[in-house]
Amino acid sequence: MSRAIRVWIVPAVLLAGALTVTAVMTTGGGERPAGVDKRADPASAERVERGRYLARVGNCTGCHTEPGGEPLAGGLALETDFGTFRTPNITPDGSTGIGDWSREQFRDAMLRGQRADGAPLYPACPYPSFTHTRVEDIDAIHAWIQSIDPVTHETRDHDLDFPYGIRGLVNVWQWAFFQPASLDNAGDRDEQWHRGRYLVEGLGHCSECHRDRGTFGAVREAVDAPGGMIHGWYAPSLNSPDEAGLQQWSTAEAADFLRSGKGNDSAMVGPMAGVVFDSLQYLRPDDARAMAEYLRALPTAEIEASGYRPRPSPETVKAMMERGERLYGRDCADCHGDAGEGDDGVAALAGNRAVTMENPANIVRMIRRGGFPASTPGNPYPHGMPPFQQYGDRDIASVATYIRQSWGNEAPPVSTIGLAE
């Protein structure tokens, strides 16, 4: 059966399932079947160390650690259109973590989206990407997790809207949208490209954030799909040189950007700063170059409109530009320069892709909440931006519009519509 036909019947199946499913599976880790000895194959120190590195590539700590919590002990809240997911404890604690999971059960979770008790994992866990990972790398990550100190920490259940809290319906989602599979071999590409593809599309799971999701939460596969929204931030498309695409950079520049979080015209802030801090800064130089080469080779596309479509009148835009110029001169020019040129490590605003993207969510978020890049060896003393909480929606829209339409920038104006959080 084709995927298109599967997707067409999903709404009917979900509705039927919501009316007929009488037993809701629990959100705990489940019990390991008797007779499985997870210590039967003791891991070598080399395997454990490799697993530690691969877990960093996959940013396990970033997702499975709540603010102020113990690493990997879970509890991080993930706000989505379907409700709030909370990441589980994946330390080797036997009662609240995955200490009782065998190597085979860990493989099932990472490669097939199945928990130790046989229940399906919600796709908030990026197993649709992890499924491309080699078994030996999954085993190495499991070996590393089993080597760390266990943390007893009971995490809260997911808080999902109806009918998404019925875990049994995830079986229908997996049937329609998930196909466990390794990556196809592209014989005409070199070894470095293949390694980069493996890291980006597999453990790095970049598409899980940098592509929009459809009605039922599956990542859209179209090359011209927009990026995704993450905690109020826009994760720009990797296929657009006007957004996050690295197609116009050299491999060396792109690799340095991944590891340092600082590029030619901007630094990574928001959720991506956390990814740099917890994951990308630890990339081996050869892996950073491989990821950079693959990202640079992605096909380019004109990205679909984001749905944010302000239509202020020319008179309104003129008034916003005048107000924005006054506010910028008073509050912004000392750091960013009179002409948006930046200074001494402060990001330039003129010609900055993060400023001129069609979707203005990130610049609005920066003005309202501030933002701080990750401190890395390649950017040890990053310049952060304080929040301008004294600004109302009109001020934010005016400053954002002024920045997006000055010094050669040509981006749509920002309306006050949709700015409230």
Side-chain angles (χ1 to χ4, degrees):
M1 183 182 296
S2 73
R3 172 169 290 189
I5 295 176
R6 293 186 197 177
V7 173
W8 181 82
I9 67 174
V10 163
V13 176
L14 284 176
L15 178 59
L19 295 175
T20 59
V21 173
T22 57
V24 179
M25 296 185 178
T26 64
T27 56
E31 295 185 357
R32 178 171 55 89
V36 178
D37 182 6
K38 67 186 172 82
R39 303 290 185 182
D41 180 22
S44 66
E46 181 180 356
R47 175 185 288 183
V48 168
E49 182 60 28
R50 186 161 66 92
R52 183 170 75 98
Y53 173 73
L54 293 170
R56 276 180 163 168
V57 173
N59 196 24
C60 300
T61 299
C63 280
H64 288 275
T65 307
E66 65 181 336
E70 293 290 332
L72 301 178
L76 180 68
L78 302 176
E79 303 289 343
T80 75
D81 292 340
F82 310 101
T84 302
F85 292 93
R86 292 182 176 86
T87 57
N89 181 345
I90 60 169
T91 71
D93 180 65
S95 59
T96 64
I98 61 171
D100 288 339
W101 285 29
S102 70
R103 181 176 60 185
E104 288 73 20
Q105 289 166 333
F106 188 72
R107 288 179 186 173
D108 285 342
M110 295 282 281
L111 301 177
R112 286 173 281 281
Q114 179 177 304
R115 300 189 317 182
D117 63 359
L121 280 168
Y122 281 103
C125 170
Y127 59 83
S129 293
F130 291 159
T131 189
H132 303 313
T133 309
R134 301 185 187 98
V135 169
E136 57 267 29
D137 285 347
I138 298 297
D139 290 348
I141 295 173
H142 180 257
W144 172 70
I145 287 175
Q146 295 295 341
S147 76
I148 65 177
D149 292 335
V151 177
T152 301
H153 180 228
E154 191 75 49
T155 59
R156 294 172 59 187
D157 291 343
H158 304 315
D159 183 15
L160 304 178
D161 301 332
F162 181 82
Y164 309 112
I166 302 176
R167 187 179 286 269
L169 297 182
V170 182
N171 287 306
V172 179
W173 186 95
Q174 291 184 344
W175 173 74
F177 297 106
F178 173 55
Q179 181 64 48
S182 58
L183 292 170
D184 296 332
N185 182 47
D188 58 335
R189 298 288 190 169
D190 62 24
E191 182 178 347
Q192 182 165 265
W193 181 92
H194 277 97
R195 176 64 176 173
R197 180 192 185 202
Y198 176 73
L199 295 173
V200 168
E201 303 293 347
L203 276 178
H205 60 280
C206 302
S207 292
E208 300 285 339
C209 289
H210 286 277
R211 280 194 176 177
D212 189 27
R213 294 176 181 268
T215 303
F216 297 101
V219 172
R220 295 176 57 186
E221 297 179 356
V223 174
D224 63 349
M229 294 300 299
I230 309 293
H231 300 306
W233 295 82
Y234 176 67
S237 166
L238 300 175
N239 292 99
S240 171
D242 295 326
E243 292 195 4
L246 304 180
Q247 291 88 344
Q248 297 176 356
W249 295 29
S250 70
T251 298
E253 288 172 335
D256 182 67
F257 183 51
L258 294 175
R259 298 180 73 201
S260 70
K262 182 180 180 182
N264 295 331
D265 55 11
S266 62
M268 298 187 198
V269 295
M272 197 64 199
V275 175
V276 172
F277 185 78
D278 290 319
S279 175
L280 295 181
Q281 69 166 314
Y282 298 105
L283 286 172
R284 296 194 308 250
D286 58 330
D287 278 346
R289 288 193 297 271
M291 291 179 71
E293 178 172 324
Y294 176 73
L295 290 169
R296 289 180 62 248
L298 287 175
T300 60
E302 184 174 342
I303 301 305
E304 294 178 356
S306 66
Y308 182 90
R309 274 289 175 270
R311 288 288 184 267
S313 67
E315 293 77 14
T316 300
V317 173
K318 181 175 183 295
M320 292 171 68
M321 288 290 288
E322 292 172 352
R323 183 181 184 86
E325 184 176 18
R326 290 195 302 270
L327 292 171
Y328 181 88
R330 187 188 73 188
D331 298 329
C332 312
D334 281 350
C335 290
H336 290 285
D338 292 335
E341 71 274 17
D343 183 46
D344 193 24
V346 178
L349 302 177
N352 189 326
R353 291 180 297 169
V355 169
T356 58
M357 285 188 296
E358 184 83 17
N359 189 324
N362 293 350
I363 187 171
V364 168
R365 192 83 174 183
M366 282 290 288
I367 296 170
R368 187 191 296 277
R369 293 289 189 89
F372 301 89
S375 177
T376 63
N379 189 25
Y381 304 108
H383 287 265
M385 177 169 161
F388 283 78
Q389 294 179 338
Q390 73 274 23
Y391 277 15
D393 286 355
R394 184 184 177 196
D395 294 332
I396 293 174
S398 296
V399 171
T401 297
Y402 175 73
I403 292 170
R404 285 162 63 85
Q405 297 196 351
S406 298
W407 322 303
N409 292 342
E410 297 179 359
V414 177
S415 169
T416 56
I417 297 174
L419 291 189
E421 296 184 348

